[in-house]
Amino acid sequence: MHFGDSKFKAPQRDDVASRPPFHIAVQVRNIAETRAFYTKVLGCIEGRYAETWVDFNFFGHQFVCHLNSNIGANGKIRSFHNSVDNHDVPIPHCGIILAMDDWKKLAEKLQNEDVDFVIEPYIRFKGLAGEQATMFLMDPSGNALEFKGFTDIDAQLFSTTV
């Protein structure tokens, strides 16, 4: 994976009143490589920062990365995997849900960046009420990220059938 300049920018939210943004904080091994990954690979906008943390506008949400020197220079966050749709999904993970067109653009951009996917972009539960596009990748510190895409987020997101 390379951290080259990109014209892709993560979609930003303008409907904060209807769906409040979330805040999540994760641990990372290196602030500089974290900045490069979240801004250049994912297209996030950097926000506030200090020597030991940096926050990003992660698709309209506050995503904060805190330095944990105990991870080590080449260390990774540990996770386990759970089987979903015959794929080993890393746990814990977090991510974002996108409109299908935005998901497709992001998937194409990440594939062009030669990102190492944990789970390659694909359609899960095809033809069912819960049909969704998904892909998983890790940031340089091993934080698992999932990106989902729905054709009709409001109708599909909380569907009680797969």
Side-chain angles (χ1 to χ4, degrees), residues 2-150:
H2 60 87
F3 298 133
D5 289 332
S6 171
K7 291 182 170 87
F8 178 87
K9 293 295 176 200
Q12 305 302 307
R13 297 170 47 90
D14 58 5
D15 63 342
V16 172
S18 65
R19 289 191 176 159
F22 70 78
H23 160 88
I24 189 166
V26 299
Q27 54 187 322
V28 297
R29 65 186 185 191
N30 180 293
I31 296 294
E33 77 177 348
T34 297
R35 278 186 161 122
F37 177 81
Y38 284 95
T39 59
K40 303 217 185 288
V41 175
L42 295 183
C44 297
I45 297 169
E46 185 176 321
R48 294 173 298 210
Y49 63 90
E51 185 177 327
T52 59
W53 59 270
V54 58
D55 67 11
F56 299 98
N57 181 335
F58 186 77
F59 301 82
H61 303 279
Q62 187 184 47
F63 194 92
V64 185
C65 299
H66 290 273
L67 180 63
N68 178 351
S69 57
N70 292 327
I71 297 171
N74 296 310
K76 299 273 187 180
I77 304 298
R78 295 184 66 183
S79 62
F80 79 96
H81 294 81
N82 191 24
S83 182
V84 177
D85 194 34
N86 296 314
H87 287 85
D88 289 330
V89 171
I91 307 296
H93 66 263
C94 63
I96 196 69
I97 296 163
L98 300 169
M100 189 61 76
D101 287 343
D102 289 331
W103 183 89
K104 287 177 181 177
K105 289 175 191 171
L106 178 60
E108 180 180 0
K109 183 239 189 272
L110 295 175
Q111 288 169 321
N112 290 338
E113 290 276 343
D114 293 324
V115 167
D116 292 325
F117 291 98
V118 175
I119 298 175
E120 295 278 339
Y122 83 105
I123 303 297
R124 174 190 289 167
F125 311 131
K126 194 163 184 72
L128 302 172
E131 180 176 301
Q132 58 193 263
T134 188
M135 60 183 150
F136 282 82
L137 56 124
M138 302 280 193
D139 75 6
S141 297
N143 292 297
L145 303 170
E146 179 181 18
F147 298 88
K148 290 184 177 188
F150 288 95

